[in-house]
Amino acid sequence: MRAPVLAANWKLNHGPTEAAAFLRAFCGRYAPRDDRTVMFFPSALAFAAAREAAAGRADLRFGVQNVAAHDRGAFTGENSAAIARDAGATCVLVGHSERRHVFGETDAETAEKCALAAAHELDPVLCVGEKLDERERGETERVVLRQLRAGIRRLTAQQRARLVIAYEPVWAIGTGRNATPADAAAVHAVVRAELRAEGVPDAVPILYGGSVKPDNAPALLAADGVDGLLVGGASLDVESWLAVVGAR
Ligand code: PEP
């Protein structure tokens, strides 16, 4: 069994002051555990403060929510994988549904970001998931596999072994409507089969994300093939995040 990965996506919340206060409170109440991995994805501007507030906690991983699809140059406002790595990030969310559907990120850009992240030794947390209309048309598998194949296509075997995959049905993100454990298990099985077909080792975890809360986290984590959780709203409050990371 893979040790669960619990990842907090803070989106556009928690500036440096709040992020530092959160981490100080969290570290005071969460002792390192070797049976799970906890990751934080603060905003880029809060990244340093969050990491500094958790100084000495090598058990916690810090990543960024996005990187540019370019290595360097005239791209005002962007952050590159190299800059994120230099700032201390070890992982990056790639292809989050808000990047895809709010900012119009394409599969080609997601592929480029995964390749740049891996080249700069940032582990890509590749997010895939279908929209509600796609699910209703029976296209879940087709959409998820298209996004997955695009994201991993350019990675070497060694880089693929560093991946984390997050299945996040778009209709479940921030809506309060989570997938059932059975819904999640069904898609995770499809993702795992494709990863195996692509030679990706079974040690690569597949997380579920979408309206995870302290009360549904244990059942979702117990679902077949669910190796962890990617959490937005419920990761913003210390109490609820402690409850989620303590699940199972
Ligand atoms: C997310 O941002 O990846 C997410 C799953 O959000 P929420 O938990 O709020 O649905």
Side-chain angles (χ1 to χ4, degrees):
M1 209 207 285
R2 286 165 284 266
V5 176
L6 292 317
N9 174 17
W10 284 353
K11 312 191 193 204
L12 191 50
N13 298 288
H14 290 343
T17 308
E18 280 173 300
F22 185 110
L23 263 305
R24 280 194 296 271
F26 180 81
C27 290
R29 296 181 54 195
Y30 175 79
R33 295 176 62 155
D34 55 15
D35 64 344
R36 63 204 54 210
T37 300
V38 179
M39 292 177 162
F40 289 92
F41 294 90
S43 88
L45 284 176
F47 181 87
R51 205 166 150 254
E52 207 177 293
R57 289 296 300 262
D59 59 310
L60 305 178
R61 294 191 62 185
F62 288 89
V64 289
Q65 297 172 13
N66 183 38
V67 287
H70 308 277
D71 218 5
R72 59 173 57 238
F75 300 103
T76 302
E78 294 284 83
N79 287 303
S80 68
I83 290 171
R85 180 71 194 158
D86 187 27
T90 62
C91 44
V92 53
L93 298 179
V94 181
H96 188 277
S97 71
E98 287 146 21
R99 298 307 313 173
R100 293 180 192 271
H101 303 301
V102 179
F103 296 98
E105 187 170 307
T106 63
D107 284 343
E109 286 167 318
T110 297
E112 187 65 30
K113 291 179 183 192
C114 276
L116 285 167
H120 291 286
E121 297 188 347
L122 285 183
D123 298 345
V125 179
L126 173 62
C127 304
V128 298
E130 81 288 3
K131 294 188 288 183
L132 184 58
D133 58 326
E134 292 166 334
R135 170 163 280 255
E136 286 171 348
R137 288 198 301 268
E139 295 173 359
T140 297
E141 190 169 326
R142 186 183 64 76
V143 170
V144 165
L145 290 180
R146 191 200 75 226
Q147 294 172 339
L148 182 66
R149 288 176 184 139
I152 70 175
R153 195 180 62 236
R154 296 187 32 210
L155 304 182
T156 64
Q158 221 178 359
Q159 291 171 337
R160 288 176 184 204
R162 307 282 303 267
L163 278 163
V164 175
I165 308 296
Y167 168 56
E168 298 207 302
V170 181
W171 47 270
I173 297 180
T175 59
R177 181 181 165 193
N178 63 286
T180 64
D183 290 334
V187 180
H188 281 228
V190 169
V191 171
R192 179 61 68 195
E194 179 63 18
L195 291 175
R196 285 186 179 145
E198 295 275 357
V200 177
D202 278 358
V204 163
I206 306 172
L207 318 187
Y208 166 79
S211 294
V212 173
K213 306 285 175 226
D215 59 347
N216 61 23
L220 286 161
L221 258 186
D224 270 354
V226 173
D227 307 314
L229 303 168
L230 176 54
V231 183
S235 71
L236 291 173
D237 169 73
V238 176
E239 288 304 326
S240 71
W241 184 232
L242 282 165
V244 172
V245 300
R248 180 146 103 186

